[in-house]
Amino acid sequence: MKSIENIKNVYFLGIGGIGMSALARYFKFTGRNVAGYDRTQTALTDALQEEGIDVHFEDDIKHIPGNWNPATTIAVYTPALPDDHEELAWFKSQPIGLFKRAKVLGLICNEKSGIGVAGTHGKTTTSTIVANILNKTEKGCGAFLGGISKNFKSNLLLPKADSPWIVAEADEFDRSFLHLNPQLALITSIDADHLDIYGEKEKIVESFEKYISQIKAGGKLVLKKGVELDTTKTSAEIYSYALQGDADFSALNLKLDEASGFYRFDLKTPDGIIANCKMNYPGLVNVENTVGASALAHFAGATANEIKAGIEDYQGVARRFDIRFKSEQKIYIDDYAHHPEELKAFITSVRALYPGKKMTGIFQPHLYSRTQDFAAEFATSLDLLDKTILLPLYPAREKPIPGVSSEIIFDKMMIDAKVMAEKEEAMELIKNDSNEIILTMGAGDIDRMVPGITQLLENK
């Protein structure tokens, strides 16, 4: 498929995924007929249905529209689908274009000046901040985001007709980001992850090096200080960013406003200092994400005032350092963290924000393979809490691995205040928990606990 201009009908297999749903919304808003399947009904699939998209939850070809012309129809699928999926098998047997989500995203983004945000963690927040800043500029931008932006109330920002920029989260899973050819690229981190796909960290690094080699001529690459890559494989101009210290972009005079819990800083750039940048979103890790995002916005032409406005106006992403409840006695924060390094960054950021307060964390491991590969590292990160409630593992797309469960993390933890619990038991434990801060962490279905915990704390 060279172009999407002649496509009139788009069917999604796994339409409820965060990346898939953004594409579904894009095609719907651009006048195409859109329908799709997902395994589970969620708030996101409910939203798609409210927007006029036909979504069903039974794997049965009878739900596939029969009146769509195959010549003007494509099907988009997620690699998370099982091999025996009935609808996927049907599309494979038909004269209908069948494409991975990443391929279709690349076709859309590569037609414009793409901004690709890659990294094993921090992608969603950083790309959303970039989009929020550029949305303040005269020509704006489009964006395909990996979470629901609280500013946009969506994971999709439609570009203006003359907007040259489109921001995309460049996902390393299944090497999806190799379908992107950005003009501006940023890498937040390269940690060992998705070893079920890559096998070893060296292969992950190779994939990131391939990604940066695809930056368009005259493009720019922004690397977080400390990320090690063979940058001879790209012709892009290379810049660095860091929270603080010696880098092309960094935060100077960083201060925490204890009354609000938010940071302010001066932003160092190669062209001078942007003074008195104020955040209205918490977390030291998010200051670092903001520095990286500001670097991309700077190279995309945003002025100092536009960068400051986008930083100050940023409201966050659902499930990213998401403060759900706050009183004098209790604070509850929900986060998508599902890798040991993400857990460490999140927990230490909360510690910096609320020094001296006791923390209870509820964590749901995600994937058998990730749990097996990083059990010791998960234990070390969870030991940073004062108390841990460990939920059963969420398998997602994987089949069980013998001997792998949440217990292999639990057994390696050193803190005494730890307990294994089902979700219902965890709710009971939270009712009587005396610690000032409660955290929920994970990428599975732990998000379904969030409204209940919030309501519990509000009632107390």
Side-chain angles (χ1 to χ4, degrees):
M1 183 175 62
K2 301 292 186 183
S3 172
I4 59 173
E5 291 182 3
N6 298 324
I7 300 304
K8 296 181 179 178
N9 314 297
V10 189
Y11 190 88
F12 287 87
L13 295 149
I15 196 168
I18 195 71
M20 292 282 276
S21 59
L23 282 176
R25 283 171 159 155
Y26 171 83
F27 282 114
K28 178 67 177 178
F29 294 153
T30 53
R32 276 74 168 210
N33 299 310
V34 179
Y37 156 88
D38 205 89
R39 183 179 64 178
T40 307
Q41 183 177 0
T42 63
L44 191 46
T45 60
D46 290 345
L48 295 177
Q49 289 174 320
E50 290 171 4
E51 292 164 15
I53 296 174
D54 181 17
V55 182
H56 65 273
F57 306 97
E58 179 188 12
D59 178 18
D60 193 323
I61 63 172
K62 70 182 181 184
H63 296 295
I64 299 171
N67 59 342
W68 286 2
N69 181 352
T72 56
T73 299
I74 61 170
V76 186
Y77 72 99
T78 168
L81 286 176
D83 293 334
D84 59 355
H85 195 274
E86 182 179 329
E87 292 186 19
L88 179 61
W90 185 85
F91 276 105
K92 288 180 178 178
S93 70
Q94 300 300 308
I96 294 173
L98 178 63
F99 304 96
K100 285 185 179 181
R101 178 195 68 87
K103 172 70 172 178
V104 178
L105 178 63
L107 287 169
I108 296 170
C109 293
N110 294 340
E111 290 181 348
K112 288 183 173 283
S113 295
I115 299 175
V117 179
T120 44
H121 51 84
K123 294 186 294 291
T124 299
T125 298
T126 304
S127 56
T128 307
I129 298 171
V130 177
N132 198 61
I133 295 172
L134 292 183
N135 196 44
K136 305 294 182 188
T137 64
E138 182 179 352
K139 291 189 175 181
C141 71
F144 290 89
L145 304 170
I148 303 299
S149 160
K150 293 185 178 182
N151 289 86
F152 308 139
K153 307 294 189 295
S154 178
N155 52 351
L156 172 70
L157 177 63
L158 287 171
K160 300 174 184 176
D162 61 345
S163 175
W165 297 106
I166 190 154
V167 181
E169 185 170 318
D171 190 1
E172 77 280 0
F173 171 69
D174 199 39
R175 298 177 172 84
S176 294
F177 59 176
L178 298 185
H179 290 283
L180 297 172
N181 300 101
Q183 188 70 34
L184 303 176
L186 178 142
I187 297 178
T188 65
S189 54
I190 304 178
D191 295 312
D193 197 11
H194 301 303
L195 298 185
D196 55 322
I197 301 293
Y198 288 99
E200 57 187 5
K201 184 178 179 180
E202 288 73 17
K203 296 296 183 183
I204 300 174
V205 173
E206 288 177 10
S207 194
F208 274 89
E209 289 173 348
K210 172 65 174 171
Y211 170 66
I212 66 172
S213 75
Q214 297 177 178
I215 297 172
K216 290 179 179 177
K220 293 179 173 63
L221 169 64
V222 181
L223 280 177
K224 180 182 168 184
K225 199 75 182 281
V227 171
E228 296 183 1
L229 279 179
D230 180 0
T231 55
T232 64
K233 299 187 177 182
T234 180
S235 61
E237 291 182 52
I238 301 170
Y239 296 84
S240 62
Y241 80 97
L243 174 62
Q244 294 176 292
D246 183 23
D248 296 310
F249 294 84
S250 64
L252 305 176
N253 304 314
L254 180 63
K255 295 178 182 177
L256 174 64
D257 183 334
E258 294 186 4
S260 67
F262 304 135
Y263 290 91
R264 62 176 59 196
F265 58 92
D266 299 329
L267 178 65
K268 173 191 172 187
T269 81
D271 296 328
I273 293 173
I274 302 175
N276 200 25
C277 296
K278 301 175 184 178
M279 294 181 63
N280 282 297
Y281 192 68
L284 200 57
V285 66
N286 289 316
V287 179
E288 183 177 77
N289 292 332
T290 298
V291 172
S294 299
L296 289 174
H298 172 80
F299 289 129
T303 66
N305 286 336
E306 288 165 346
I307 290 172
K308 288 177 65 173
I311 292 172
E312 188 168 356
D313 179 61
Y314 178 68
Q315 299 173 21
V317 182
R319 301 218 64 226
R320 269 68 173 188
F321 216 109
D322 196 351
I323 298 178
R324 301 300 300 254
F325 178 84
K326 187 175 182 180
S327 70
E328 291 185 5
Q329 293 78 31
K330 288 280 188 181
I331 299 163
Y332 169 38
I333 310 174
D334 178 46
D335 197 86
Y336 191 70
H338 57 282
H339 183 278
E341 290 299 319
E342 293 173 338
L343 289 177
K344 179 181 176 182
F346 174 54
I347 295 168
T348 54
S349 289
V350 176
R351 283 271 186 228
L353 193 56
Y354 303 108
K357 293 187 182 293
K358 297 288 188 181
M359 294 194 296
T360 294
I362 308 173
F363 176 57
Q364 181 188 50
H366 183 258
L367 296 176
Y368 288 101
S369 58
R370 184 181 285 126
T371 302
Q372 181 182 49
D373 292 332
F374 303 112
E377 290 84 352
F378 276 122
T380 299
S381 293
L382 293 171
D383 279 339
L384 297 172
L385 297 163
D386 297 292
K387 178 181 178 180
T388 298
I389 301 171
L390 198 56
L391 300 181
L393 184 152
Y394 186 81
R397 59 186 180 270
E398 292 185 335
K399 294 180 180 179
I401 298 175
V404 177
S405 70
S406 295
E407 289 188 24
I408 68 173
I409 297 174
F410 186 84
D411 291 343
K412 294 179 185 297
M413 292 176 62
M414 301 300 291
I415 61 170
D416 294 327
K418 59 179 181 176
V419 62
M420 294 278 299
E422 297 288 340
K423 292 192 190 74
E424 296 77 10
E425 297 171 305
M427 291 295 293
E428 290 298 317
L429 292 169
I430 289 299
K431 284 183 183 179
N432 302 309
D433 191 88
S434 60
N435 287 344
E436 296 100 320
I437 298 175
I438 296 170
L439 311 176
T440 45
M441 302 164 286
D445 62 358
I446 191 172
D447 61 314
R448 297 184 186 182
M449 295 180 65
V450 174
I453 295 173
T454 306
Q455 186 67 53
L456 171 68
L457 296 174
E458 289 174 347
N459 291 341
K460 290 182 70 175

